[in-house]
Amino acid sequence: MNTLTIAWRNIWRHKLRSLTVMCSVLLGISAGIYAAALMKGMLEGRFDHFIENEISHMQVHHPDFVREPEPAYTVATEGDALQALQGLPGVSAATARLKVHGMIASANYTGGVQLIGILPEMEEATTGFSDKLMAGENLSSDDGNRILIGYALAQKMKVDIGSRIVLTFQDVDQEIVSAAFTVKGFFQTISNRYDEGVAFVPAAYLGSHLRTGRAYHEYAILAEGMDRVEDLRPGVEALFPGMRVRSWDQLSPELSFWLEAGGVVSYAFIIIILLGLTFGLLNTMLMTVFERTRELGMLMAIGMNKRKVFALIVMETLLLAVSGAVLGLGIGYGLVRLSAKNGIDLSALSDVMRELGFSSIIIPDVDTTFLLLIPVMVVITALLAAVYPALKALSLNPAEAVRE
Amino acid sequence: MSVIRTVNLSKIYNPDTVPVYALNKVNIHFEEGEFTCVIGPSGSGKTTLLNMIGGLDKPSEGQVYIADQRIDQLSENQLIDFRLHHIGFVFQHFNLVPVLSAYENAAFIMQLQGRSKGETDTRVRELLSEVGLGERMDARPTQLSGGQQQRVAVARALASRPKFILADEPTASLDSQSAFNLLDMMARLNEEEGVTFIFSTHDQRVIDRAKRVVRMVDGRIDSDVRK
């Protein structure tokens, strides 16, 4: 009869009490896993949106454009830089853009906007832009003064497809240029702020007004995978000598911060839950020790040494916590997998979610490392919860305890 | 041959304020194979004496020798080990582990001693048969009567092959018939196998069966009669 068997039988002496503790561990762990997976899903949705729709994995700019985005600061290239970029190993797609800040105006609205001149086919390959098109048609390279605006901006401007709007901006010589555009379509991303602040036009047409020639302000590169991003840097830097090459985490440090913070918050969730469970376990085990004073005194009287008594109490606490945690892990992970199949549809809250910059479909996801660390954290929790009751058991005087 | 010997054994509570002598310079020895009961009114010191010679409590003054080994100077861990290998205990409240069967309870002490599975099995089966529980080995304490539980406790105490068995009011929680049967069994073990028993008791039935009666009053030995 080893200590483990006795401990296992002991925890079933009070079935209801033990089941209550196990259920609280189970619920705590599964809820913690699900909450962490939900948060990771939301952050990853935002991350994917940023990479796929806004910044890609890597961008190249004129060094002065980074400090002050003047139209004159275009990227200097030799030959067809785009073709060379697409030929680099590890590059999935690449495109070039013109970018200028200006004023957009309709009969009912005037406001600031960032006008982006795109190469429609390459933009599609890099950002899959057509997926975001919610009305009208996508731009094509033959288009002249056609424009795509965000649906949120269209509502503000009270314009429809086919409406004409006027854009005013500075050219490379800082001359004010005005041009009229016809709305060809509306796009909608997960971020209202983005949709209200950006408009797309064909690069060739915008370039003719900016007088940038065949030069661009920005080259965006999509890598074949996150792990390939840094491998691309030497090749890209060689193609654009003297230009500023930045990867996604340099372009958007806050994105990198949020991803890291999301991981930390997941652990914080679990730690807070486990901290609560520690007190539940401690309370249960303390009650057990008090109820079994006579029995523990008898065990010490007949010759069970302190190490074994300590181990018995610790083992019982571990069994209570670990049984609940294993079930909680299974249920939590199962729920995450189940929800990830079709995603959690928060369309009913889509306005709020877009306002916050999150997708209304959340695909919960959980790190394997996180899942593997939970049992370790549970064991540490159980050990912490067991120490005081076990020490209490050891402090019993066998001579007095057997007479309780 | 003396199994237990005490020399000027005292237990003093509140030594610095109002000293209370639970034991006052007690000199006594117990021989191998004795069937002794220690009697006396409540507070006379009989339980304290049993605790001292059982290594469950330490004296304020004096010495305790078990088979010529002085035990009052042993550390707590050494005492636990000493109790495991040399002393058998039977308590008033049966004190079995409720999650273990009769067999497992009796075997538990041998497992603590690190005896082999085979040796433990043979000895435990033999002992449980001897105390009349050969057919109830798998029963949990809650499935046994008070008398049967106390028999398991005796089997457990004997399992470790101790030098003597200390029994603190072993019949106090038993009905007359169970008490009679238990005493009968212990007397037989004493007669036939020479097991040394020392009881503390108020029970006249136990006193009547004892071969030696030690009477304590106010922490001293008032009388010591061998029948």
Side-chain angles (χ1 to χ4, degrees):
Chain A
M1 184 62 43
N2 56 33
T3 313
L4 182 68
T5 313
I6 299 175
W8 180 250
R9 288 191 194 171
N10 274 334
I11 65 172
W12 295 110
R13 283 161 79 162
H14 293 278
K15 287 190 183 69
L16 186 63
R17 188 163 72 195
S18 296
L19 280 173
T20 306
V21 175
M22 283 179 185
C23 282
S24 58
V25 176
L26 180 157
L27 285 174
I29 296 294
S30 52
I33 290 172
Y34 200 76
L38 210 58
M39 192 172 61
K40 188 166 189 277
M42 284 172 80
L43 287 171
E44 281 183 348
R46 191 176 170 83
F47 177 79
D48 290 344
H49 164 81
F50 250 68
I51 297 293
E52 289 166 12
N53 298 286
E54 295 185 32
I55 60 175
S56 303
H57 286 121
M58 197 170 263
Q59 289 185 0
V60 184
H61 297 97
H62 188 285
D64 293 331
F65 187 84
V66 176
R67 282 200 300 275
E68 203 176 338
E70 293 289 339
Y73 299 141
T74 53
V75 176
T77 59
E78 288 170 10
D80 192 341
L82 262 181
Q83 203 174 2
L85 264 181
Q86 283 162 338
L88 283 179
V91 171
S92 167
T95 189
R97 298 171 186 139
L98 286 169
K99 280 183 157 182
V100 64
H101 287 280
M103 298 298 288
I104 191 165
S106 68
N108 300 298
Y109 174 88
T110 302
V113 72
Q114 185 178 46
L115 199 58
I116 303 178
I118 58 171
L119 302 167
E121 288 77 17
M122 293 190 182
E123 190 69 37
E124 178 64 22
T126 311
T127 61
F129 189 77
S130 59
D131 293 345
K132 307 293 180 290
L133 202 68
M134 65 162 293
E137 289 173 39
N138 203 352
L139 295 173
S140 71
S141 41
D142 308 333
D143 282 333
N145 63 340
R146 297 288 186 272
I147 188 166
L148 295 180
I149 60 172
Y151 182 62
L153 181 60
Q155 284 184 310
K156 268 189 170 178
M157 297 180 77
K158 295 183 180 159
V159 294
D160 212 336
I161 301 208
S163 299
R164 286 182 66 84
I165 53 180
V166 175
L167 279 140
T168 307
F169 44 87
Q170 285 185 332
D171 67 9
V172 290
D173 298 319
Q174 299 195 326
E175 295 292 333
I176 301 293
V177 180
S178 282
F181 287 84
T182 303
V183 177
K184 194 178 181 187
F186 301 143
F187 63 85
Q188 190 173 47
T189 68
I190 64 164
S191 167
N192 269 358
R193 189 178 291 183
Y194 183 81
D195 296 351
E196 286 173 7
V198 175
F200 295 91
V201 295
Y205 189 74
L206 182 62
S208 68
H209 283 84
L210 287 172
R211 297 197 290 119
T212 47
R214 291 177 62 81
Y216 298 97
H217 293 122
E218 176 177 290
Y219 283 84
I221 302 141
L222 191 67
E224 282 172 350
M226 284 295 280
D227 51 337
R228 304 292 304 270
V229 177
E230 280 312 310
D231 298 344
L232 294 177
R233 187 177 286 277
V236 176
E237 283 176 343
L239 274 178
F240 299 97
M243 295 295 112
R244 183 91 189 270
V245 178
R246 290 179 296 168
S247 52
W248 66 271
D249 50 340
Q250 294 168 307
L251 289 161
S252 180
E254 73 279 7
L255 192 62
S256 175
F257 167 78
W258 279 114
L259 277 181
E260 281 174 29
V264 173
V265 171
S266 301
Y267 284 103
F269 265 157
I270 285 288
I271 289 170
I272 290 167
I273 290 168
L274 289 176
L275 209 62
L277 293 174
T278 307
F279 288 101
L281 282 168
L282 192 149
N283 185 44
T284 305
M285 291 315 296
L286 213 49
M287 221 187 307
T288 301
V289 168
F290 287 140
E291 282 173 358
R292 283 161 48 195
T293 297
R294 195 198 294 171
E295 180 187 323
L296 291 166
M298 176 275 291
L299 290 173
M300 287 194 270
I302 65 170
M304 189 172 188
N305 64 35
K306 293 194 168 194
R307 194 169 45 81
K308 284 184 174 151
V309 174
F310 192 89
L312 182 67
I313 302 295
V314 169
M315 200 79 82
E316 287 178 29
T317 320
L318 274 174
L319 285 173
L320 269 179
V322 171
S323 316
V326 167
L327 292 171
L329 263 174
I331 290 173
Y333 184 66
L335 283 174
V336 170
R337 298 288 298 172
L338 205 66
S339 310
K341 251 183 188 171
N342 299 314
I344 302 167
D345 190 353
L346 298 177
S347 300
L349 301 168
S350 61
D351 287 345
V352 179
M353 295 299 278
R354 259 199 299 279
E355 210 53 59
L356 297 169
F358 291 109
S359 167
S360 54
I361 304 281
I362 297 170
I363 313 287
D365 187 22
V366 65
D367 271 338
T368 316
T369 320
F370 180 68
L371 284 177
L372 291 176
L373 274 175
I374 287 178
V376 177
M377 290 194 280
V378 169
V379 168
I380 294 170
T381 304
L383 289 175
L384 285 176
V387 170
Y388 184 64
L391 289 176
K392 204 81 190 158
L394 293 191
S395 71
L396 292 172
N397 177 346
E400 289 169 9
V402 291
R403 295 179 152 265
E404 281 278 311
Chain B
M1 180 192 163
S2 285
V3 181
I4 304 160
R5 182 162 57 92
T6 72
V7 180
N8 292 330
L9 191 65
S10 296
K11 181 70 181 178
I12 311 164
Y13 294 104
N14 311 322
D16 300 326
T17 51
V18 186
V20 176
Y21 282 81
L23 286 181
N24 195 351
K25 296 191 187 304
V26 172
N27 290 291
I28 191 167
H29 60 265
F30 297 91
E31 306 297 325
E32 201 172 300
E34 279 191 335
F35 199 74
T36 308
C37 74
V38 181
I39 61 168
S42 291
S44 59
K46 53 188 188 300
T47 298
T48 310
L49 176 65
L50 258 60
N51 284 345
M52 298 290 159
I53 60 182
L56 290 172
D57 203 353
K58 287 197 170 189
S60 308
E61 291 167 8
Q63 296 118 47
V64 181
Y65 294 89
I66 308 285
D68 290 333
Q69 182 179 353
R70 188 169 172 186
I71 66 161
D72 55 279
Q73 290 180 323
L74 296 178
S75 70
E76 212 172 327
N77 285 332
Q78 287 172 323
L79 271 176
I80 291 175
D81 196 53
F82 188 87
R83 291 199 297 264
L84 175 64
H85 289 95
H86 301 292
I87 309 171
F89 289 94
V90 177
F91 304 99
Q92 179 183 344
H93 299 290
F94 319 144
N95 283 350
L96 300 176
V97 181
V99 296
L100 303 183
S101 66
Y103 176 91
E104 289 164 340
N105 263 292
F108 188 65
I109 206 154
M110 292 185 74
Q111 285 168 349
L112 288 177
Q113 286 179 324
R115 302 287 179 88
S116 73
K117 223 174 178 177
E119 184 190 353
T120 304
D121 187 61
T122 311
R123 173 105 178 123
V124 169
R125 285 180 188 284
E126 186 185 295
L127 283 170
L128 284 174
S129 301
E130 206 164 333
V131 298
L133 290 170
E135 306 297 313
R136 305 298 317 268
M137 289 193 196
D138 295 329
R140 293 274 178 97
T142 48
Q143 297 166 317
L144 298 172
S145 69
Q148 287 173 323
Q149 287 184 52
Q150 204 60 307
R151 283 159 178 266
V152 176
V154 172
R156 181 183 64 191
L158 285 167
S160 63
R161 298 183 195 277
K163 291 193 164 49
F164 59 94
I165 289 179
L166 287 176
D168 186 11
E169 310 220 18
T171 55
S173 303
L174 298 180
D175 61 75
S176 298
Q177 189 56 47
S178 300
F180 180 79
N181 290 341
L182 182 76
L183 282 169
D184 228 23
M185 182 198 80
M186 292 198 281
R188 183 169 48 77
L189 285 168
N190 173 256
E191 287 287 340
E192 293 172 8
E193 299 188 21
V195 179
T196 310
F197 281 97
I198 301 164
F199 306 94
S200 76
T201 190
H202 286 110
D203 191 338
Q204 193 55 47
R205 295 166 300 189
V206 181
I207 299 166
D208 292 344
R209 300 290 291 265
K211 292 178 184 169
R212 178 184 174 191
V213 179
V214 176
R215 182 179 168 78
M216 295 197 69
V217 177
D218 295 336
R220 292 172 184 275
I221 294 174
D222 185 57
S223 64
D224 185 352
V225 180
R226 285 187 167 83
K227 294 180 186 171

